[in-house]
Amino acid sequence: MFNRFILIVVFVPLAVILIALAVANRELVAFTLDPFNPGNPKLTLNLPLFIFLFVALAIGMVVGSLATWVKQGRYRKLARQRGVEAENLRQAVSRVPAAPQGSAPGTALPKPTA
């Protein structure tokens, strides 16, 4: 239900805006990689403006995703460490022998050594 709501409220208007942007910017635009000789045909792309806009949007999304992933690395590392610690504790608890019937609760664990 929530996914359908997000689809309708966010993605449908975004798609309409992007389609309108693409239709309004169909003219060919020269994109030159050589700032000293702009007329160089080997380093010039002639494509519709909306393609350049969509490529810039995609590059921005990839760079932003990578920046977020790198920034959250310490939290992933901490989660891995805590997962290993939890697994070690689970194994330690499973190795402790069960308390005999009729014994007081809490006496099944061995006493710590100094």
Side-chain angles (χ1 to χ4, degrees), residues 80-92:
R80 278 192 306 271
Q81 289 172 347
R82 289 186 177 169
V84 168
E85 182 181 346
E87 184 60 32
N88 290 340
L89 290 172
R90 277 190 206 101
Q91 290 176 0

Side-chain angles (χ1 to χ4, degrees), residues 7-38:
L7 177 72
I8 292 171
V9 172
V10 175
F11 292 123
V12 170
L14 183 63
V16 170
I17 291 170
L18 290 176
I19 290 169
L21 183 71
V23 170
N25 294 294
R26 292 180 299 189
E27 295 84 23
L28 291 180
V29 177
F31 180 76
T32 304
L33 296 173
D34 187 2
F36 302 110
N37 185 11

Side-chain angles (χ1 to χ4, degrees), residues 23-111:
V23 170
N25 294 294
R26 292 180 299 189
E27 295 84 23
L28 291 180
V29 177
F31 180 76
T32 304
L33 296 173
D34 187 2
F36 302 110
N37 185 11
N40 187 354
K42 292 181 181 177
L43 297 175
T44 302
L45 291 170
N46 289 318
L47 295 171
L49 178 62
F50 74 90
I51 291 178
F52 292 120
L53 294 173
F54 288 166
V55 168
L57 178 70
I59 290 172
M61 289 174 61
V62 169
V63 169
S65 297
L66 286 174
T68 302
W69 182 77
V70 168
K71 187 171 181 167
Q72 293 176 349
R74 62 182 166 176
Y75 300 112
R76 288 191 307 275
K77 181 179 178 182
L78 183 62
R80 278 192 306 271
Q81 289 172 347
R82 289 186 177 169
V84 168
E85 182 181 346
E87 184 60 32
N88 290 340
L89 290 172
R90 277 190 206 101
Q91 290 176 0
V93 167
S94 67
R95 283 182 272 169
V96 173
Q101 293 293 341
S103 66
T107 58
L109 297 175
K111 295 191 181 207

